[in-house]
């Protein structure tokens, strides 16, 4: 039987606030254990939460970014369970009335097709602390620095159908939150973590199968692998007539497998109820309107603009808007050099290629946009050929200065002086009597191929600096002239 | 309304309280008394009545995103039952 | 000097009749003599109290002394006091020394108060008799065979027996008013949101409110003025100005419309208590007030709604006591589950465990709608009755409790009978209203309390009415017999 994979994702996004969602402790990553855990974070008796305005702002910005319904009134609830990294014995979250309601999110797949993924809701909640299982005489150590870090939990509809789609969705989400500036998106530090709900059903069926939840997967690659593994695991079970058990599983990256969590949890009964220490959050229309007006241009709009304003293909525009930093870089180069298409080509091929080889982010590029634009200008004014430009780019990457300095110091300026070129062409013709004879004997079609030899010789003699257009013209004329002479 | 022993054990487990089996009957009776007392609630018509979580019709105030708390670890951990290297210790947690 | 009111003490300290150190020492001596029997204090802090008194005397010698400079008070052991053990009368917090002050404590310190110690109470404020304390039952100074009421029983007993000039209390379902009534003092539960809850150990967050307990309405006005006000660290604290309660005490009762809920004068009310209350109401009428019968139709829902909502909130408020970061931890836990269950079972007393179980049950899957949601709906109906009533009357008056103080042990085996103690007080908490209890004479040598309830943020009117009544009567001046016989050192 053929199976359809049905995936819904719950993404936990750490919001880039300075202080925690309900206390004035710092959210900085990497501090010494429990040095950023205040009396509120430690759930000391009598301590009370006060909501961080920036967390609310970021959540609403996300909602506006996916055109979702914004909860004019939203309510915090207590989600009750015991765990040592949860100091209060409950997590403050949102259940019945989240701050962000239903929205839609468009993803672009590698073949250029797009799909719309439903966002069920997004709600604010606090993160838990960390349990460290290294050896403390067989005990677990609890670090509560992370407890109370603001999270936006973004819940998708079960609209995803493959690991590829899931990763495309996550990448698009990642790009969006960086555009909005609401999260640092640092996956290695856990700023974006993902729970995967996955089930299979016979192709063509409308009813959902029994799902397994895979908790806390924290990289695109692991999401892809976990989904691949889990899909096969469930398919094997179903193929052999078994039933998938609804359970929570963990993805073990070292073994590349998912396995059930070992802790025997009593059937969870979170006993959600409205958090009495917090009042309903009510948002003013004017406040929301203000935020809406301040939103940056987001990927879909930017892509459309790159297509219409710069004449780029949808694919190229899609690559360039992948991150706000890359899009900004491209636009800076395009404006500076005046030719968006060449700018797009250079950014995508040379710059991104080099960045990928060295595993650098665009923000860490050793070549700033002004330098790349300077290089492109020299191509446009025929000072250098495209081939030489690549050499210049290499040198710029190594930090040898801007394009003009490199062209100057390395003597790479293209020879466009017709006198010099004519002398070179003449010398080549003179040194290649056999090839000249062959050329002259050939028909027009063959001549076009044979001329390549002469061009190559001239370029070699000029160490690549001869203007190839002029060389072609000169050769065609001179070889033709002699033919006429004969 | 009455609470059964199994139900009570489940609730006690949720609340992380230990109820010994010899205490169960007496405790069940007491809880049943209380549940009997709250039973009158079921007689009142609350159709369409919005639940009231908080006695004032007020809205949540928002705090500026400023770090106001410093490191008070040694002070806080001086009253903790078990700490090591700045961490609170608990028996091994199994995931 | 220890029998003087706070208002009198403020004047006497300013007039240098005696120093705060002398006054504080008198209270400490009195506590040492008398509290062995009453058990109204869990902790007494003589050294810090005397140091604070000395500091107050220095301020009093200058001309910038804060309003309550040198006044010795006690805090209910539910308010966190920096460096002074705060137990909530529970074994769970027997070893808990807070690294911070509650806002109420901080404000009273700034106002100049001296902290004598921490008073006894029902464990985690869950009770109406102060018998469930880990530190043993507190006794009523009027008759030591009787309870002082609860949960703020220690504060009430300490004030009644002159072991403090005044004390703080908290009121979730009557815990200031009922012990005030049973010990013959005046206590006010302010509007929800009037006094900060920060650092006040939570029982039921949407009901809890701190307030003063003292000999007179005037003293309550002075203390409430120092305690009340917005606290940005408590989201439920309301940002509105605090009136000058003391200045407002002179408001006349002329034309004041007082509502008498028919439901409060029913068969549960002991007839002797009803007589005392009617006598007090006649005094109010004589001072110019008009009495109007009113209905609080959903009154009978107060007890069931309260005994769902308060335990539900408590069940999760008390989840933080897990033996990990502070408080009681069982010896050598086998595993995490054992750490939790044994620490909590050992740390919490029976009544606390019962309420946690009831609350957990009411919130659990399958019961939420029938219990918690239903109770919150009933809560709206109850509040609406009050709001409608305040369309017709300025304040509401009636008994604080159905009867006077009962014997120790009389109701400990019957939680439901104990819960009925609060039949007239619970609705006020559900509706978030201010209410006070003041002495209204005695029944068989035990005090009876008159309860006055006001609209939201109507504390000034309530205190004024109580003050005017106290100017015209002497019920508030009646002292427990043991106190009278001991005499006054001053």
């Amino acid at each position: 039987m053929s199976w359809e994979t049905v995936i819904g994702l719950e993404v936990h996004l750490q919001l880039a606030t300075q202080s925690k969602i309900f206390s004035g402790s710092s959210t900085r990553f990497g501090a010494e254990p429990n040095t950023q855990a205040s009396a509120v974070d430690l759930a000391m008796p009598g301590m009370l939460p006060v909501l961080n305005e920036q967390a609310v702002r970021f959540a609403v910005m996300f909602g506006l970014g996916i055109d979702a319904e914004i909860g004019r009134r939203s309510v915090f609830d207590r989600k009750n369970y015991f765990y040592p990294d949860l100091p209060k014995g409950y997590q403050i979250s949102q259940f019945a009335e989240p701050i962000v309601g239903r929205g839609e999110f468009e993803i672009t797949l590698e073949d250029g097709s797009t799909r719309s993924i439903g966002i069920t809701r997004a709600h604010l909640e606090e993160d838990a602390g960390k349990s460290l299982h290294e050896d403390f005489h067989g005990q677990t150590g609890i670090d509560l620095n992370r407890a109370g870090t603001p999270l936006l939990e973004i819940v998708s509809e079960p609209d995803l159908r493959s690991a590829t789609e899931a990763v495309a969705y996550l990448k698009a989400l990642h790009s969006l939150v960086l555009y909005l500036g609401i999260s640092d998106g640092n996956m290695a530090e856990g700023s974006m973590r993902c729970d995967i709900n996955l089930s299979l059903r016979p192709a063509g069926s409308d009813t959902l199968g029994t799902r397994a939840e895979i908790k806390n997967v924290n990289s695109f690659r692991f999401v892809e692998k976990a989904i691949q593994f889990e899909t096969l695991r469930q398919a094997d079970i179903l193929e052999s007539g078994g039933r998938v058990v609804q359970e929570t599983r963990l993805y073990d990256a070292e073994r590349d497998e998912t396995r059930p969590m070992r802790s025997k949890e009593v059937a969870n009964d979170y006993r959600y109820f409205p958090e009495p220490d917090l009042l309903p959050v009510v948002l003013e229309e004017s406040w929301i309107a203000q935020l809406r007006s301040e939103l940056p241009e987001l990927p879909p709009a930017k892509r459309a603009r790159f297509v219409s304003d710069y004449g780029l293909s949808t694919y190229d525009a899609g690559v360039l808007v992948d991150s706000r930093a890359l899009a900004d870089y491209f636009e800076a180069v395009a404006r500076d050099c005046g030719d968006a298409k060449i700018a797009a080509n250079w950014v995508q091929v040379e710059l991104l290629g080099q960045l990928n080889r060295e595993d650098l982010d665009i923000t860490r590029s050793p070549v700033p946009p002004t330098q790349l634009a300077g290089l492109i200008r020299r191509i446009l004014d025929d000072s250098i050929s495209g081939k030489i430009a690549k050499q210049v780019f290499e040198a710029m990457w190594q930090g040898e200065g801007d394009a003009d300095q490199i062209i100057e110091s390395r003597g790479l300026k293209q020879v466009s002086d017709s006198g010099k070129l004519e002398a070179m062409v003449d010398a080549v013709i003179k040194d290649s009597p056999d090839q000249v004879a062959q050329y002259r004997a050939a028909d027009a079609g063959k001549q076009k191929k044979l001329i390549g030899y002469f061009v190559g010789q001239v370029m070699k003699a000029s160490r690549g600096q001869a203007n190839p257009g002029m060389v072609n013209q000169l050769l065609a004329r001179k070889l033709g002239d002699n033919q006429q002479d004969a | 309304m009455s609470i059964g022993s199994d139900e009570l054990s489940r609730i006690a487990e949720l609340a992380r309280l230990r109820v010994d089996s010899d205490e169960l009957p007496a405790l069940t009776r007491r809880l049943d008394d209380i549940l009997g007392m709250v039973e009158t609630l079921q007689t009142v018509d609350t159709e369409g009545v919005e639940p009231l979580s908080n006695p004032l019709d007020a809205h949540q105030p928002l705090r500026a995103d400023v770090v106001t708390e410093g490191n008070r670890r040694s002070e806080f951990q001086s009253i903790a039952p078990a700490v090591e290297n700045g961490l609170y210790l608990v028996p091994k947690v199994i995931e | 000097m220890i029998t003087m009111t706070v208002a009198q003490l403020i004047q006497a300290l300013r007039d240098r009749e005696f120093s705060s150190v002398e006054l504080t020492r008198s209270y400490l001596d009195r506590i040492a003599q008398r509290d062995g029997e009453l058990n109204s204090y869990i902790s007494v802090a003589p050294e810090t109290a005397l140091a604070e008194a000395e500091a107050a005397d220095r301020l009093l010698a200058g001309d910038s002394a804060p309003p309550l400079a040198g006044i010795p008070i006690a805090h209910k052991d539910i308010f966190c006091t920096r460096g002074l053990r705060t137990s909530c009368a529970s074994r769970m917090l027997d070893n808990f020394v807070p690294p911070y002050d509650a806002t109420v404590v901080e404000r009273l310190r700034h106002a100049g108060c001296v902290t004598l110690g921490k008073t006894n109470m029902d464990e985690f404020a869950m009770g109406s008799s102060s018998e469930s304390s880990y530190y043993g039952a507190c006794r009523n100074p009027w008759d030591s065979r009787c309870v002082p009421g609860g949960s703020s029983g220690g504060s009430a007993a300490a004030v009644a027996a002159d072991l403090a000039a005044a004390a703080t209390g908290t009121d979730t379902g009557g815990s200031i008013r009922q012990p005030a009534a049973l010990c013959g003092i005046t206590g006010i539960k302010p509007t929800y949101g009037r006094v900060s809850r920060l650092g006040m150990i939570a029982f039921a967050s949407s009901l809890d409110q701190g307030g003063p307990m003292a000999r007179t309405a005037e003293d309550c006005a002075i203390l409430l003025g120092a305690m009340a006000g917005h606290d940005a660290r408590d989201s439920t604290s309301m940002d509105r100005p605090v009136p000058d309660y003391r200045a407002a005490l002179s408001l006349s009762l002329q034309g004041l419309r007082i509502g008498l809920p028919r439901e409060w004068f029913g068969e549960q009310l002991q007839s002797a208590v009803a007589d005392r209350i009617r006598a007090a109401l006649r005094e109010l009428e004589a001072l110019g007030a008009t009495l109007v019968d009113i209905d609080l139709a959903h009154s009978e829902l107060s007890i069931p709604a309260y005994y769902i909502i308060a335990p539900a909130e408590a069940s999760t408020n008390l989840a933080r006591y897990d033996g990990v970061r502070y408080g009681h931890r069982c010896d050598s836990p086998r595993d995490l589950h054992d750490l939790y269950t044994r620490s909590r079972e050992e740390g919490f007393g029976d009544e606390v465990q019962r309420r946690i179980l009831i609350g957990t049950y009411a919130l659990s899957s399958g019961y939420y709608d029938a219990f918690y949601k239903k109770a919150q709906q009933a809560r709206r109906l109850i509040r609406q009755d009050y709001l409608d009533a305040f369309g017709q009357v300025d304040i509401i008056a009636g008994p604080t409790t159905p009867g006077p103080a009962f014997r120790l042990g009389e109701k400990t085996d019957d939680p439901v009978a104990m819960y009925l103690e609060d039949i007239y007080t619970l609705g006020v908490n559900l509706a978030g209203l201010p209410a006070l209890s003041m002495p209204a004479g005695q029944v068989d040598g035990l005090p009876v309390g008159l309860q006055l309830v006001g609209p939201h943020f109507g504390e000034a009117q309530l205190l004024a009415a109580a003050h005017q009544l106290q100017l015209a009567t002497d019920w508030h001046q009646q002292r427990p017999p043991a106190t009278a016989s001991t005499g006054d050192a001053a």
Side-chain angles (χ1 to χ4, degrees):
Chain A
M1 191 182 293
S2 98
W3 303 98
E4 183 180 43
T5 311
V6 178
I7 303 163
L9 297 179
E10 291 168 20
V11 172
H12 292 87
L13 182 75
Q14 276 186 8
L15 298 176
T17 56
Q18 298 298 305
S19 64
K20 293 187 179 176
I21 183 165
F22 299 122
S23 83
S25 301
S26 170
T27 54
R28 194 170 56 86
F29 181 81
E32 283 292 300
N34 291 309
T35 55
Q36 290 173 181
S38 69
V40 172
D41 309 322
L42 293 170
M44 292 270 182
M47 289 296 110
L48 296 169
V50 186
L51 182 58
N52 184 334
E53 178 179 33
Q54 186 74 322
V56 175
R57 185 178 290 124
F58 284 166
V60 171
M61 283 169 70
F62 175 79
L64 294 171
I66 59 164
D67 258 329
E69 296 159 23
I70 303 299
R72 264 53 179 179
R73 179 181 188 277
S74 66
V75 172
F76 282 94
D77 295 283
R78 289 185 182 178
K79 179 183 182 181
N80 297 284
Y81 65 96
F82 283 89
Y83 206 75
D85 64 14
L86 189 71
K88 293 188 291 294
Y90 54 84
Q91 178 193 31
I92 304 178
S93 182
Q94 297 190 303
F95 184 60
E97 298 178 67
I99 191 158
V100 176
R102 172 84 203 190
E104 290 285 333
F105 191 60
E106 190 170 271
I107 62 169
T108 306
L109 301 173
E110 288 202 351
D111 63 5
S113 65
T114 58
R115 281 207 57 197
S116 184
I117 306 301
I119 304 284
T120 316
R121 55 184 281 157
H123 65 255
L124 282 167
E125 62 184 26
E126 56 181 340
D127 208 344
K130 279 182 184 163
S131 302
L132 303 167
H133 305 295
E134 291 95 74
D135 193 40
F136 293 102
H137 330 292
Q139 306 197 70
T140 293
I142 307 294
D143 174 9
L144 296 169
N145 280 350
R146 199 180 66 183
T149 298
L151 295 180
L152 187 66
E153 179 172 332
I154 303 158
V155 182
S156 87
E157 292 286 303
D159 285 350
L160 300 159
R161 294 289 172 266
S162 66
T164 317
E165 286 190 13
V167 170
Y169 167 79
L170 286 175
K171 285 188 169 166
L173 207 57
H174 188 252
S175 159
L176 174 69
V177 302
L178 290 184
Y179 262 85
L180 292 169
I182 63 174
S183 175
D184 67 13
N186 189 329
M187 301 190 67
E189 292 176 5
S191 294
M192 193 167 159
R193 313 191 293 272
C194 181
D195 296 345
I196 304 162
N197 287 299
L198 188 150
S199 63
L200 298 188
R201 65 182 170 193
S205 164
D206 285 345
T207 48
L208 291 170
T210 307
R211 67 189 164 84
E213 183 179 18
I214 309 163
K215 282 268 186 208
N216 248 328
V217 190
N218 65 357
S219 82
F220 296 142
R221 202 165 62 87
F222 291 167
V223 166
E224 187 171 13
K225 293 192 139 197
I227 289 174
Q228 285 164 350
F229 178 90
E230 185 62 18
T231 304
L232 290 177
R233 187 187 74 87
Q234 292 190 16
D236 280 351
I237 293 173
L238 296 170
E239 294 286 349
S240 58
R243 298 168 95 178
V244 173
V245 184
Q246 180 159 353
E247 64 184 352
T248 305
R249 301 177 69 87
L250 284 178
Y251 175 69
D252 181 333
E254 275 173 32
R255 297 191 190 169
D256 187 23
E257 64 174 26
T258 68
R259 54 180 157 79
M261 287 177 86
R262 277 189 292 162
S263 55
K264 279 180 288 175
E265 283 182 61
V266 206
N268 277 328
D269 184 347
Y270 291 127
R271 289 158 284 139
Y272 282 103
F273 77 108
E275 159 63 294
D277 287 332
L278 293 167
L279 301 167
V281 179
V282 174
L283 303 175
E284 304 266 346
E285 286 305 325
S286 59
W287 189 80
I288 297 172
Q290 176 74 21
L291 274 190
R292 193 191 302 273
S293 72
E294 289 166 7
L295 279 193
E297 184 182 38
L298 296 175
K302 204 181 271 287
R303 190 172 58 227
R305 182 168 61 82
F306 282 10
V307 170
S308 65
D309 288 11
Y310 297 127
L312 303 184
S313 73
T314 310
Y315 176 81
D316 287 352
V319 171
L320 292 170
V321 303
D322 180 51
S323 83
R324 188 170 167 179
L326 180 62
D328 288 350
Y329 188 106
F330 156 72
E331 283 212 274
V333 176
R335 262 199 311 271
D336 196 344
C337 78
D339 189 322
K341 281 189 175 171
I342 293 183
N345 195 43
W346 270 86
V347 169
Q348 283 180 81
V349 180
E350 298 304 326
L351 182 75
L352 283 183
Q354 197 66 31
L355 289 169
N356 283 341
R357 272 191 290 281
E358 302 198 8
D359 198 20
L360 285 177
D361 184 81
I362 182 73
T363 55
R364 309 282 299 278
S365 168
V367 178
T370 46
Q371 279 195 359
L372 183 56
L375 175 63
I376 293 171
R377 273 200 305 274
R378 294 291 86 84
I379 301 170
L380 292 172
D381 68 9
D382 278 342
S383 297
I384 52 173
S385 67
K387 214 169 178 178
I388 291 291
K390 287 178 188 174
Q391 280 182 43
V392 177
F393 181 78
E394 283 285 337
M396 284 197 315
W397 188 272
Q398 300 306 326
E400 291 180 24
D402 65 24
D404 288 345
Q405 287 166 336
I406 294 165
I407 291 166
E408 177 68 35
S409 66
R410 293 198 173 187
L412 294 175
K413 198 165 162 58
Q414 182 158 268
V415 179
S416 300
D417 178 317
S418 54
K420 272 188 191 164
L421 286 178
E422 205 165 342
M424 280 191 248
V425 166
D426 289 344
V428 166
I429 289 175
K430 197 177 154 213
D431 292 347
S432 319
D434 295 349
Q435 287 81 357
V436 171
Q438 204 184 347
Y439 178 88
R440 288 182 175 155
D443 59 32
K446 253 194 171 156
Q447 278 183 346
K448 276 192 181 158
K449 288 181 187 168
L450 291 170
I451 202 166
Y453 166 78
F454 300 99
V455 175
Q457 291 302 107
V458 176
M459 294 311 284
K460 199 171 163 186
S462 72
R463 289 182 317 174
Q465 285 165 262
N467 181 326
M470 290 176 72
V471 171
N472 264 298
Q473 272 180 9
L474 277 169
L475 277 168
R477 203 184 74 221
K478 295 216 174 232
L479 290 167
D481 282 352
N482 291 350
Q483 196 170 27
Q484 268 175 5
D485 292 348
Chain B
M1 190 151 313
S2 163
I3 187 167
S5 287
D6 288 353
E7 185 86 69
L8 180 55
S9 299
R10 185 182 70 87
I11 295 300
E13 175 55 28
L14 275 178
R16 296 295 186 275
L17 290 173
R18 204 177 58 173
V19 179
D20 292 334
S21 50
D22 57 332
E23 294 170 16
L24 267 176
L27 187 56
T28 308
R29 255 195 324 276
R30 287 226 163 142
L31 296 183
D32 282 348
D33 287 349
I34 298 168
L35 291 174
M37 181 190 73
V38 303
E39 197 123 273
T40 39
L41 263 191
Q42 308 309 325
T43 64
V44 62
D45 180 9
T46 53
E47 184 69 31
V49 178
E50 179 78 8
L52 179 69
S53 310
N54 199 284
L56 301 174
D57 297 307
H59 303 154
Q60 176 61 31
L62 300 176
R63 197 188 92 239
D65 181 24
V66 179
V67 175
T68 53
E69 300 295 323
N71 174 13
R72 294 176 66 190
R73 185 175 78 179
S74 57
E75 197 182 351
F76 291 151
Q77 294 197 338
S78 69
I79 54 170
V83 286
E84 192 174 310
N85 297 335
L87 296 160
Y88 293 94
L89 292 188
V90 297
K92 193 93 183 157
V93 174
I94 303 163
E95 277 187 294
Chain C
M1 62 187 104
I2 56 175
T3 57
M4 292 166 81
T5 66
V6 171
Q8 290 164 340
L9 288 172
I10 289 172
Q11 197 54 49
L13 287 169
R14 263 155 228 266
D15 295 345
R16 309 286 170 79
E17 288 178 30
F18 42 79
S19 70
S20 175
V21 168
E22 289 170 291
L23 178 64
T24 300
R25 203 164 263 141
S26 300
Y27 278 116
L28 291 170
D29 289 348
R30 171 92 174 155
I31 292 167
Q33 278 166 30
R34 188 86 172 86
D35 207 42
E37 184 193 359
L38 293 179
N39 198 24
S40 66
Y41 279 85
I42 289 175
S43 306
V44 183
E47 291 86 9
T48 51
L50 288 168
E52 287 165 14
E54 264 176 52
D57 282 333
R58 280 195 297 276
L59 288 172
L60 284 162
D63 51 9
S64 58
L68 287 162
I71 303 295
I73 62 163
H75 288 295
K76 184 178 183 180
D77 207 21
I78 199 169
F79 288 100
C80 288
T81 41
R82 187 174 192 142
L84 178 58
R85 192 258 309 267
T86 300
S87 71
C88 233
S90 181
R91 183 183 180 196
M92 185 58 87
L93 292 175
D94 183 47
N95 60 2
F96 179 64
V97 179
Y100 46 82
D101 274 334
T103 298
V104 161
V105 171
E106 190 179 278
R107 289 195 175 186
L108 288 171
R109 268 193 218 288
H110 281 150
C113 287
V114 169
T115 302
L116 293 167
K118 308 293 293 290
T119 58
N120 207 351
M121 54 185 281
D122 281 297
E123 185 182 5
F124 280 101
M126 296 177 189
S128 310
S129 68
S130 301
E131 290 169 287
S132 67
S133 169
Y134 176 59
Y135 304 93
C138 174
R139 287 165 189 272
N140 192 316
W142 291 78
D143 181 344
S144 59
R145 293 167 301 175
C146 288
V147 303
S151 66
S152 311
S155 289
V159 172
D162 301 325
L163 308 187
T168 55
T170 61
D171 191 318
T172 304
S175 282
I176 286 177
R177 291 160 287 157
Q178 185 255 14
L182 269 45
C183 290
I185 64 165
T186 304
I188 182 166
K189 176 206 105 69
T191 307
Y192 184 81
R194 178 77 288 183
V195 169
S196 170
R197 294 187 297 115
L198 187 84
M200 190 176 105
I201 298 179
F203 163 13
S205 307
S206 77
L207 302 165
D208 295 343
Q209 188 63 196
M213 304 174 79
R215 299 200 216 312
T216 64
E218 183 180 28
D219 286 1
C220 285
I222 295 169
L223 285 155
L224 182 59
M227 293 164 74
H230 180 236
D231 181 358
R233 297 166 301 170
D234 171 3
S235 299
T236 62
S237 157
M238 291 300 114
D239 189 3
R240 43 189 292 163
V242 179
D244 184 339
Y245 296 121
R246 200 177 182 186
L249 291 174
S250 57
L251 285 173
S252 154
L253 294 190
Q254 202 61 48
L256 189 77
R257 292 164 304 164
I258 301 180
L260 311 179
R262 280 182 250 270
E263 295 78 5
W264 291 8
F265 292 87
E267 59 184 21
Q268 288 104 335
L269 183 63
Q270 292 179 19
S271 60
V273 175
D275 292 346
R276 304 308 332 134
I277 298 304
R278 292 219 169 81
L281 293 172
R282 278 194 298 277
E283 290 290 341
L284 286 167
E285 215 171 9
L287 290 166
T290 319
L291 304 180
V292 186
D293 284 331
I294 58 162
D295 284 304
L296 296 173
H298 297 94
S299 277
E300 62 166 4
L301 298 180
S302 295
I303 285 205
Y306 178 88
Y307 278 99
I308 293 300
I309 293 167
E313 293 183 6
S315 71
T316 95
N317 279 334
L318 271 59
R320 66 188 57 199
Y321 306 108
D322 58 6
V324 177
R325 297 162 312 283
Y326 51 79
H328 178 72
R329 181 189 185 108
C330 65
D331 280 334
S332 37
R334 286 192 309 280
D335 54 27
L336 188 64
H337 191 266
D338 188 42
L339 168 70
Y340 286 154
T341 52
R342 207 144 48 86
S343 299
R344 289 166 63 76
E345 195 222 1
E346 292 168 1
F348 294 138
D350 289 347
E351 178 63 16
V352 171
Q353 293 197 33
R354 261 199 299 274
R355 297 213 196 184
I356 291 174
L357 291 171
I358 287 286
T360 304
Y361 183 66
L363 290 174
S364 69
S365 163
Y367 299 102
Y368 181 89
D369 284 359
F371 286 117
Y372 190 75
K373 187 177 168 206
K374 193 87 179 173
Q376 296 284 49
Q377 290 172 316
R379 183 177 191 178
R380 184 173 294 277
L381 297 174
I382 291 162
R383 184 182 70 159
Q384 195 55 49
D385 285 350
Y386 278 101
L387 296 181
D388 292 346
F390 287 120
Q392 308 165 48
V393 299
D394 300 306
I395 63 174
I396 291 170
T400 307
T401 59
F406 48 94
R407 296 289 177 93
L408 266 82
E410 191 179 323
K411 299 184 180 180
T412 40
D413 285 334
D414 187 353
V416 171
M418 186 77 89
Y419 296 174
L420 292 173
E421 263 302 291
D422 298 324
I423 186 166
Y424 308 127
T425 50
L426 298 175
V428 162
N429 297 77
L430 291 167
L433 300 166
L436 63 75
S437 178
M438 59 188 296
Q442 294 161 28
V443 169
D444 299 333
L446 291 170
V448 165
L450 170 72
Q451 180 175 217
L452 303 180
V453 184
H456 290 127
F457 298 99
E459 287 85 355
Q461 176 73 79
L462 285 184
L463 290 163
H467 180 66
Q468 294 300 319
L469 185 58
Q470 289 181 342
L471 288 179
T473 61
D474 67 351
W475 295 315
H476 62 293
Q477 287 166 353
Q478 292 166 357
R479 323 292 302 163
T483 311
S485 67
T486 307
D488 182 3

